[in-house]
Amino acid sequence: MSAPTRTVSQGRAFLGVLGRDLAVTGKEFGTFVSQVLVQPFFLLFVFGVVLGQLGYVTPGYAQLLLPGLLALNAFFVAVQATAIPLVIDFSYTKEIEDRLLAPLSTRLVAVEKIVFGAARGLFGSLVMIPVGYLVLDEVNWQLSGLPIAAVLLVLGALAGGAAGLVIGTLVSPRKINVVFALVITPLLFTGSTQFPFLQLGNLRWFQVICALNPITYVSEGLRGALTPAVPHLPAWVCLLALVAACLLFGAIGIQGFVRRALD
């Protein structure tokens, strides 16, 4: 078989496996949408509406909050969509063996898991946009920033999928709940989703912790693209950090996936 033919075959197999996973998501669409909307909706409603009407947050806070919640959903939905099924597949159902029998290299199967998780994360983020416009009264985005915002969301979702691959291949089923509590919860509150990163100057130690969280760069990048009046990091810093996160988590996750697949 010639190299171009093998490439086409691998490409078709990759799309076939990805399409199968997406089809399963389609069958569970209602459940999936409810899972990705409940937590961010209440965060949006309480912080953007309730606290605003009570006077505990300043006018315009919704402009800062909504991009952060889009970033949060893109990353976390991707993490969960990748990590939890992998833990189950490797430990209980052994369904991962069906994927490994496909005419794909083991590394490409791992990449497919990242892409699938990222697709769910991206969708989970996008469905928050109409919700935000319905719930909040002060959303006014700069439409010229939509292309860079789209790139940032894709990179954030891919970083989440890659991080989910790391968790799904390194954590045993008995410890997955503990890991999510110890890792995911801190990530939730250190991603600059509810506050601008640059205004943490008086809390330098906390700013350093936030700088280690990939979600920070999605949140800050989206604010810079959509609401440039809000203090934000430069776009090139956010893009570079997210590419680095994708490469780092991807390399560790793929290596872990190959090791688990060969066990």
PDB file of all heavy atoms in Angstrom, residues 189-210:
ATOM      1  N   PHE A 189     -11.754  28.257  40.076  1.00  0.00           N
ATOM      2  CA  PHE A 189     -11.701  29.565  40.725  1.00  0.00           C
ATOM      3  C   PHE A 189     -10.386  30.311  40.488  1.00  0.00           C
ATOM      4  O   PHE A 189     -10.188  31.396  41.033  1.00  0.00           O
ATOM      5  CB  PHE A 189     -11.942  29.404  42.231  1.00  0.00           C
ATOM      6  CG  PHE A 189     -13.334  28.947  42.551  1.00  0.00           C
ATOM      7  CD1 PHE A 189     -13.582  27.635  42.915  1.00  0.00           C
ATOM      8  CD2 PHE A 189     -14.402  29.829  42.467  1.00  0.00           C
ATOM      9  CE1 PHE A 189     -14.866  27.206  43.196  1.00  0.00           C
ATOM     10  CE2 PHE A 189     -15.691  29.404  42.751  1.00  0.00           C
ATOM     11  CZ  PHE A 189     -15.936  28.091  43.118  1.00  0.00           C
ATOM     12  N   THR A 190      -9.482  29.731  39.702  1.00  0.00           N
ATOM     13  CA  THR A 190      -8.215  30.423  39.420  1.00  0.00           C
ATOM     14  C   THR A 190      -8.056  30.695  37.923  1.00  0.00           C
ATOM     15  O   THR A 190      -6.946  30.978  37.469  1.00  0.00           O
ATOM     16  CB  THR A 190      -7.012  29.599  39.915  1.00  0.00           C
ATOM     17  OG1 THR A 190      -7.000  28.316  39.262  1.00  0.00           O
ATOM     18  CG2 THR A 190      -7.075  29.407  41.419  1.00  0.00           C
ATOM     19  N   GLY A 191      -9.152  30.619  37.167  1.00  0.00           N
ATOM     20  CA  GLY A 191      -9.083  30.832  35.726  1.00  0.00           C
ATOM     21  C   GLY A 191      -9.440  32.235  35.286  1.00  0.00           C
ATOM     22  O   GLY A 191      -9.707  32.458  34.106  1.00  0.00           O
ATOM     23  N   SER A 192      -9.479  33.176  36.218  1.00  0.00           N
ATOM     24  CA  SER A 192      -9.814  34.573  35.903  1.00  0.00           C
ATOM     25  C   SER A 192     -11.152  34.698  35.187  1.00  0.00           C
ATOM     26  O   SER A 192     -11.343  35.580  34.357  1.00  0.00           O
ATOM     27  CB  SER A 192      -8.702  35.209  35.046  1.00  0.00           C
ATOM     28  OG  SER A 192      -7.463  35.159  35.705  1.00  0.00           O
ATOM     29  N   THR A 193     -12.074  33.806  35.515  1.00  0.00           N
ATOM     30  CA  THR A 193     -13.385  33.848  34.861  1.00  0.00           C
ATOM     31  C   THR A 193     -14.292  34.907  35.472  1.00  0.00           C
ATOM     32  O   THR A 193     -15.164  35.449  34.794  1.00  0.00           O
ATOM     33  CB  THR A 193     -14.083  32.474  34.962  1.00  0.00           C
ATOM     34  OG1 THR A 193     -14.161  32.076  36.337  1.00  0.00           O
ATOM     35  CG2 THR A 193     -13.305  31.432  34.184  1.00  0.00           C
ATOM     36  N   GLN A 194     -14.102  35.215  36.768  1.00  0.00           N
ATOM     37  CA  GLN A 194     -14.959  36.200  37.435  1.00  0.00           C
ATOM     38  C   GLN A 194     -14.246  37.523  37.704  1.00  0.00           C
ATOM     39  O   GLN A 194     -14.846  38.431  38.288  1.00  0.00           O
ATOM     40  CB  GLN A 194     -15.473  35.639  38.775  1.00  0.00           C
ATOM     41  CG  GLN A 194     -16.306  34.390  38.634  1.00  0.00           C
ATOM     42  CD  GLN A 194     -15.527  33.142  39.032  1.00  0.00           C
ATOM     43  OE1 GLN A 194     -14.361  33.204  39.358  1.00  0.00           O
ATOM     44  NE2 GLN A 194     -16.194  31.998  38.971  1.00  0.00           N
ATOM     45  N   PHE A 195     -12.998  37.643  37.295  1.00  0.00           N
ATOM     46  CA  PHE A 195     -12.227  38.853  37.583  1.00  0.00           C
ATOM     47  C   PHE A 195     -11.120  39.019  36.541  1.00  0.00           C
ATOM     48  O   PHE A 195     -10.661  38.038  35.966  1.00  0.00           O
ATOM     49  CB  PHE A 195     -11.602  38.778  38.983  1.00  0.00           C
ATOM     50  CG  PHE A 195     -10.915  37.464  39.258  1.00  0.00           C
ATOM     51  CD1 PHE A 195      -9.631  37.211  38.798  1.00  0.00           C
ATOM     52  CD2 PHE A 195     -11.566  36.469  39.969  1.00  0.00           C
ATOM     53  CE1 PHE A 195      -9.000  36.009  39.041  1.00  0.00           C
ATOM     54  CE2 PHE A 195     -10.950  35.245  40.211  1.00  0.00           C
ATOM     55  CZ  PHE A 195      -9.665  35.013  39.738  1.00  0.00           C
ATOM     56  N   PRO A 196     -10.678  40.263  36.301  1.00  0.00           N
ATOM     57  CA  PRO A 196      -9.581  40.472  35.353  1.00  0.00           C
ATOM     58  C   PRO A 196      -8.238  40.088  35.982  1.00  0.00           C
ATOM     59  O   PRO A 196      -7.941  40.474  37.116  1.00  0.00           O
ATOM     60  CB  PRO A 196      -9.627  41.984  35.067  1.00  0.00           C
ATOM     61  CG  PRO A 196     -10.921  42.459  35.632  1.00  0.00           C
ATOM     62  CD  PRO A 196     -11.282  41.521  36.734  1.00  0.00           C
ATOM     63  N   PHE A 197      -7.439  39.375  35.245  1.00  0.00           N
ATOM     64  CA  PHE A 197      -6.144  38.907  35.730  1.00  0.00           C
ATOM     65  C   PHE A 197      -5.228  40.076  36.112  1.00  0.00           C
ATOM     66  O   PHE A 197      -4.521  40.031  37.124  1.00  0.00           O
ATOM     67  CB  PHE A 197      -5.488  38.055  34.645  1.00  0.00           C
ATOM     68  CG  PHE A 197      -4.090  37.613  34.958  1.00  0.00           C
ATOM     69  CD1 PHE A 197      -3.858  36.523  35.775  1.00  0.00           C
ATOM     70  CD2 PHE A 197      -2.994  38.284  34.421  1.00  0.00           C
ATOM     71  CE1 PHE A 197      -2.560  36.114  36.074  1.00  0.00           C
ATOM     72  CE2 PHE A 197      -1.703  37.882  34.706  1.00  0.00           C
ATOM     73  CZ  PHE A 197      -1.485  36.791  35.535  1.00  0.00           C
ATOM     74  N   LEU A 198      -5.233  41.135  35.309  1.00  0.00           N
ATOM     75  CA  LEU A 198      -4.301  42.241  35.522  1.00  0.00           C
ATOM     76  C   LEU A 198      -4.595  43.049  36.781  1.00  0.00           C
ATOM     77  O   LEU A 198      -3.743  43.792  37.251  1.00  0.00           O
ATOM     78  CB  LEU A 198      -4.301  43.171  34.305  1.00  0.00           C
ATOM     79  CG  LEU A 198      -3.746  42.564  33.011  1.00  0.00           C
ATOM     80  CD1 LEU A 198      -3.819  43.565  31.876  1.00  0.00           C
ATOM     81  CD2 LEU A 198      -2.316  42.073  33.190  1.00  0.00           C
ATOM     82  N   GLN A 199      -5.793  42.909  37.325  1.00  0.00           N
ATOM     83  CA  GLN A 199      -6.143  43.666  38.521  1.00  0.00           C
ATOM     84  C   GLN A 199      -5.840  42.910  39.814  1.00  0.00           C
ATOM     85  O   GLN A 199      -6.287  43.305  40.893  1.00  0.00           O
ATOM     86  CB  GLN A 199      -7.624  44.065  38.472  1.00  0.00           C
ATOM     87  CG  GLN A 199      -7.926  45.075  37.365  1.00  0.00           C
ATOM     88  CD  GLN A 199      -9.358  45.560  37.379  1.00  0.00           C
ATOM     89  OE1 GLN A 199     -10.230  44.975  37.997  1.00  0.00           O
ATOM     90  NE2 GLN A 199      -9.610  46.658  36.660  1.00  0.00           N
ATOM     91  N   LEU A 200      -5.061  41.837  39.712  1.00  0.00           N
ATOM     92  CA  LEU A 200      -4.674  41.059  40.887  1.00  0.00           C
ATOM     93  C   LEU A 200      -3.308  41.478  41.417  1.00  0.00           C
ATOM     94  O   LEU A 200      -2.661  40.720  42.134  1.00  0.00           O
ATOM     95  CB  LEU A 200      -4.646  39.556  40.551  1.00  0.00           C
ATOM     96  CG  LEU A 200      -5.976  38.900  40.202  1.00  0.00           C
ATOM     97  CD1 LEU A 200      -5.748  37.458  39.760  1.00  0.00           C
ATOM     98  CD2 LEU A 200      -6.932  38.948  41.385  1.00  0.00           C
ATOM     99  N   GLY A 201      -2.870  42.678  41.057  1.00  0.00           N
ATOM    100  CA  GLY A 201      -1.541  43.124  41.460  1.00  0.00           C
ATOM    101  C   GLY A 201      -1.319  43.110  42.957  1.00  0.00           C
ATOM    102  O   GLY A 201      -0.204  42.841  43.430  1.00  0.00           O
ATOM    103  N   ASN A 202      -2.339  43.401  43.754  1.00  0.00           N
ATOM    104  CA  ASN A 202      -2.203  43.406  45.213  1.00  0.00           C
ATOM    105  C   ASN A 202      -2.264  42.010  45.821  1.00  0.00           C
ATOM    106  O   ASN A 202      -2.019  41.839  47.011  1.00  0.00           O
ATOM    107  CB  ASN A 202      -3.295  44.271  45.845  1.00  0.00           C
ATOM    108  CG  ASN A 202      -3.132  45.744  45.500  1.00  0.00           C
ATOM    109  OD1 ASN A 202      -2.009  46.217  45.288  1.00  0.00           O
ATOM    110  ND2 ASN A 202      -4.234  46.456  45.422  1.00  0.00           N
ATOM    111  N   LEU A 203      -2.597  41.022  44.989  1.00  0.00           N
ATOM    112  CA  LEU A 203      -2.590  39.609  45.413  1.00  0.00           C
ATOM    113  C   LEU A 203      -1.628  38.852  44.495  1.00  0.00           C
ATOM    114  O   LEU A 203      -2.031  37.954  43.760  1.00  0.00           O
ATOM    115  CB  LEU A 203      -3.997  39.009  45.326  1.00  0.00           C
ATOM    116  CG  LEU A 203      -5.029  39.496  46.351  1.00  0.00           C
ATOM    117  CD1 LEU A 203      -6.411  38.980  45.990  1.00  0.00           C
ATOM    118  CD2 LEU A 203      -4.651  39.012  47.753  1.00  0.00           C
ATOM    119  N   ARG A 204      -0.365  39.235  44.565  1.00  0.00           N
ATOM    120  CA  ARG A 204       0.613  38.697  43.624  1.00  0.00           C
ATOM    121  C   ARG A 204       0.697  37.174  43.667  1.00  0.00           C
ATOM    122  O   ARG A 204       0.794  36.517  42.629  1.00  0.00           O
ATOM    123  CB  ARG A 204       1.985  39.304  43.922  1.00  0.00           C
ATOM    124  CG  ARG A 204       3.073  38.868  42.938  1.00  0.00           C
ATOM    125  CD  ARG A 204       2.824  39.400  41.552  1.00  0.00           C
ATOM    126  NE  ARG A 204       2.887  40.855  41.518  1.00  0.00           N
ATOM    127  CZ  ARG A 204       2.649  41.579  40.443  1.00  0.00           C
ATOM    128  NH1 ARG A 204       2.272  40.998  39.315  1.00  0.00           N
ATOM    129  NH2 ARG A 204       2.734  42.896  40.484  1.00  0.00           N
ATOM    130  N   TRP A 205       0.632  36.591  44.862  1.00  0.00           N
ATOM    131  CA  TRP A 205       0.728  35.130  44.974  1.00  0.00           C
ATOM    132  C   TRP A 205      -0.434  34.456  44.251  1.00  0.00           C
ATOM    133  O   TRP A 205      -0.261  33.428  43.587  1.00  0.00           O
ATOM    134  CB  TRP A 205       0.750  34.708  46.446  1.00  0.00           C
ATOM    135  CG  TRP A 205      -0.507  35.045  47.202  1.00  0.00           C
ATOM    136  CD1 TRP A 205      -0.784  36.195  47.866  1.00  0.00           C
ATOM    137  CD2 TRP A 205      -1.673  34.215  47.335  1.00  0.00           C
ATOM    138  NE1 TRP A 205      -2.053  36.147  48.414  1.00  0.00           N
ATOM    139  CE2 TRP A 205      -2.614  34.942  48.122  1.00  0.00           C
ATOM    140  CE3 TRP A 205      -2.003  32.943  46.897  1.00  0.00           C
ATOM    141  CZ2 TRP A 205      -3.854  34.427  48.450  1.00  0.00           C
ATOM    142  CZ3 TRP A 205      -3.252  32.423  47.214  1.00  0.00           C
ATOM    143  CH2 TRP A 205      -4.160  33.163  47.990  1.00  0.00           C
ATOM    144  N   PHE A 206      -1.625  35.051  44.366  1.00  0.00           N
ATOM    145  CA  PHE A 206      -2.797  34.482  43.696  1.00  0.00           C
ATOM    146  C   PHE A 206      -2.706  34.711  42.190  1.00  0.00           C
ATOM    147  O   PHE A 206      -3.135  33.865  41.396  1.00  0.00           O
ATOM    148  CB  PHE A 206      -4.073  35.112  44.259  1.00  0.00           C
ATOM    149  CG  PHE A 206      -5.334  34.471  43.774  1.00  0.00           C
ATOM    150  CD1 PHE A 206      -5.622  33.152  44.052  1.00  0.00           C
ATOM    151  CD2 PHE A 206      -6.254  35.193  43.011  1.00  0.00           C
ATOM    152  CE1 PHE A 206      -6.790  32.552  43.595  1.00  0.00           C
ATOM    153  CE2 PHE A 206      -7.420  34.615  42.559  1.00  0.00           C
ATOM    154  CZ  PHE A 206      -7.692  33.287  42.853  1.00  0.00           C
ATOM    155  N   GLN A 207      -2.146  35.843  41.783  1.00  0.00           N
ATOM    156  CA  GLN A 207      -1.961  36.115  40.366  1.00  0.00           C
ATOM    157  C   GLN A 207      -1.031  35.098  39.725  1.00  0.00           C
ATOM    158  O   GLN A 207      -1.249  34.650  38.593  1.00  0.00           O
ATOM    159  CB  GLN A 207      -1.425  37.524  40.163  1.00  0.00           C
ATOM    160  CG  GLN A 207      -1.423  37.985  38.703  1.00  0.00           C
ATOM    161  CD  GLN A 207      -0.936  39.407  38.577  1.00  0.00           C
ATOM    162  OE1 GLN A 207       0.117  39.769  39.110  1.00  0.00           O
ATOM    163  NE2 GLN A 207      -1.691  40.241  37.853  1.00  0.00           N
ATOM    164  N   VAL A 208       0.016  34.706  40.453  1.00  0.00           N
ATOM    165  CA  VAL A 208       0.946  33.686  39.947  1.00  0.00           C
ATOM    166  C   VAL A 208       0.231  32.358  39.759  1.00  0.00           C
ATOM    167  O   VAL A 208       0.424  31.664  38.755  1.00  0.00           O
ATOM    168  CB  VAL A 208       2.142  33.529  40.907  1.00  0.00           C
ATOM    169  CG1 VAL A 208       3.003  32.327  40.506  1.00  0.00           C
ATOM    170  CG2 VAL A 208       2.988  34.795  40.911  1.00  0.00           C
ATOM    171  N   ILE A 209      -0.624  31.987  40.714  1.00  0.00           N
ATOM    172  CA  ILE A 209      -1.395  30.738  40.585  1.00  0.00           C
ATOM    173  C   ILE A 209      -2.320  30.807  39.376  1.00  0.00           C
ATOM    174  O   ILE A 209      -2.416  29.851  38.597  1.00  0.00           O
ATOM    175  CB  ILE A 209      -2.195  30.478  41.878  1.00  0.00           C
ATOM    176  CG1 ILE A 209      -1.246  30.188  43.044  1.00  0.00           C
ATOM    177  CG2 ILE A 209      -3.172  29.313  41.684  1.00  0.00           C
ATOM    178  CD1 ILE A 209      -1.935  30.055  44.385  1.00  0.00           C
ATOM    179  N   CYS A 210      -2.989  31.938  39.199  1.00  0.00           N
ATOM    180  CA  CYS A 210      -3.889  32.098  38.052  1.00  0.00           C
ATOM    181  C   CYS A 210      -3.130  32.018  36.736  1.00  0.00           C
ATOM    182  O   CYS A 210      -3.660  31.531  35.726  1.00  0.00           O
ATOM    183  CB  CYS A 210      -4.635  33.432  38.141  1.00  0.00           C
ATOM    184  SG  CYS A 210      -5.831  33.529  39.492  1.00  0.00           S
TER     185      CYS A 210
END
